[in-house]
Amino acid sequence: MKILLTGATGYIGKRLLPVLLSQGHELVCCVRDIRRFPGEGIYAHPAISLFQIDFIEGAEITEDVAGIEVAYYLIHSMSDESSDFEQLEARSAKNFIKLVEQTKARQIIYLGGIINTEKLSRHLESRKRVEDILGSGRVPLCAIRAGIIVGSGSSSFEIIRDLVEKLPLMIAPRWLNTRISPISIRNILEYLTGVLDNPQTYHQAFDVGGPDVLTYREMLLQFAEVRGLKRRIYTVPVMSPRLSSYWLYFVTSTSYKLAVNLVNSMKVEVVAKDRRLEEMLGISPMSYKQAVELAFQRIGQNNVESSWIDSLSSSNAASDLLLRIEVPAHGCFVDERKYAIGDRREEVLKHVWAIGGKRGWYYANWLWQIRGFLDKLAGGVGLRRGRRSDTEIYAGESLDFWRVLVADKKTPQLLLYAEMRLPGEAWLEFSIVQDDGKDYLQQTATFRPKGVLGRLYWFAVMPLHYFVFGGMIRNIVEHAKKE
């Protein structure tokens, strides 16, 4: 079957893609920027074709897309509260419908949010509006409504993990008593594939959830039990939404704008009351504790296929971030260093590709941690996002307070763009170059200042750069030579 997969580089899309391939389907993957789509491993499968489109803008249909039979709509946003994200999401859904109605599609599958209360957050209201738009066309819609999705790399899992593992005692807002139906990512994938081309699901909307109905407080305590930790949680009625958002922002790896949306959504009960799909497909959802244990198995095996932090909504950067692949040459300050690597090319690349996250930055990690803490205080993303995998990295993924723009071992080149708070823009590039027949690791830090403040910033941190950048390139190569 030929399937159109939107959100192919998102958290759910990256998990669904290999499942659909294993079932023998042909995929047309929609991406806003082809450079964000990994071109290695399973992503180089011959049954995958790419279709670059921004549904907010709309696009002309291609012959490849015209032949699709089923379309997945996995696009959504948790954008800034002050923005017009509802209008953007509605426009995206309308343009999607225009495109799909020109194809041979006989089903649209949408993953939305549970809606069983009259008072909804802006985020859930927008999800419901998108569902209405998708269901207004001629192609039958199957809407799967979920609440909290639990899996390695999911936003809810990582935020709960941060809270539980960092805070033995929590003085928390009263919305921790809100009830929800958490569901495992594995079960979500079973539902998404189970309804595929199933006429019984046409023109239908289904709630899905695990067997447990828990409060956020109970989720935190059960998570702690799985981890063998003892935690005490006290809720107070006086914590304002703004204070709650700051509480999430400073303790977890979420950005502040995402924290605001999460707090507003967490005040709304999302309990799965409709169990028809579970019975129809014969699925037995796993418990919350089982989902947490499975997630940690994935983490222990370094096998996290996707992470919410790789979404651009986890950063404070503009959505056109990947247009910054061309590093500017004029009006910039540059720190460039080269270090001879001998015959250790592969070993050096291995260490470059492992930079950040648990590994750290090879020199003065405490300074990097201080910089991350200061960035968090200034409203930035800090270092808490880490990285999805300890050994693999692809363009578009986040890496501590950087975004990966290029990760190409053939060139070879690793290019990072800073998402920390800065009076300017910064790039950090690693490449292997030849000089007089010898191989060198070249490390280039580029900073394009904004005004006088940007220039003052560069000169203020220049002494630190001398030690940090020099120590970093030296230690990368020295670690490689020891292998």
Side-chain angles (χ1 to χ4, degrees), residues 343-357:
D343 61 352
R344 297 289 180 174
R345 181 186 179 96
E346 293 302 318
E347 291 83 358
V348 168
L349 281 179
K350 175 183 174 183
H351 280 278
V352 169
W353 252 245
I355 201 166

Side-chain angles (χ1 to χ4, degrees), residues 175-178 180 214-222 231-235:
W175 49 253
L176 252 65
N177 294 319
T178 303
I180 60 274
L214 305 170
T215 65
Y216 287 105
R217 184 178 185 275
E218 290 169 334
M219 286 177 65
L220 289 166
L221 292 174
Q222 288 194 19
R231 294 294 182 258
R232 293 184 181 276
I233 304 173
Y234 300 97
T235 57

Side-chain angles (χ1 to χ4, degrees), residues 26-76:
E26 181 183 351
L27 302 182
V28 180
C29 295
C30 293
V31 291
R32 280 196 301 175
D33 192 317
I34 287 178
R35 291 169 294 190
R36 283 199 69 196
F37 192 84
E40 303 173 14
I42 194 170
Y43 299 102
H45 197 287
I48 293 177
S49 59
L50 297 181
F51 179 50
Q52 183 167 301
I53 179 173
D54 183 346
F55 280 106
I56 292 176
E57 303 298 330
E60 296 296 326
I61 193 169
T62 66
E63 183 177 344
D64 198 30
V65 175
I68 64 160
E69 300 163 85
V70 174
Y72 282 94
Y73 192 80
L74 303 176
I75 300 172
H76 71 275

Side-chain angles (χ1 to χ4, degrees), residues 334-339 352 355 361-362 368 427-433 440-446 465 467-476:
V334 178
D335 182 300
E336 184 175 285
R337 300 168 189 270
K338 288 198 302 185
Y339 204 95
V352 169
I355 201 166
W361 292 83
Y362 290 93
W368 288 91
W427 291 258
L428 180 60
E429 181 178 7
F430 298 92
S431 59
I432 292 180
V433 298
Y440 291 83
L441 174 63
Q442 181 168 292
Q443 173 188 288
T444 307
T446 304
H465 286 173
F467 294 104
V468 173
F469 288 150
M472 182 166 61
I473 189 172
R474 181 181 65 251
N475 285 350
I476 288 174

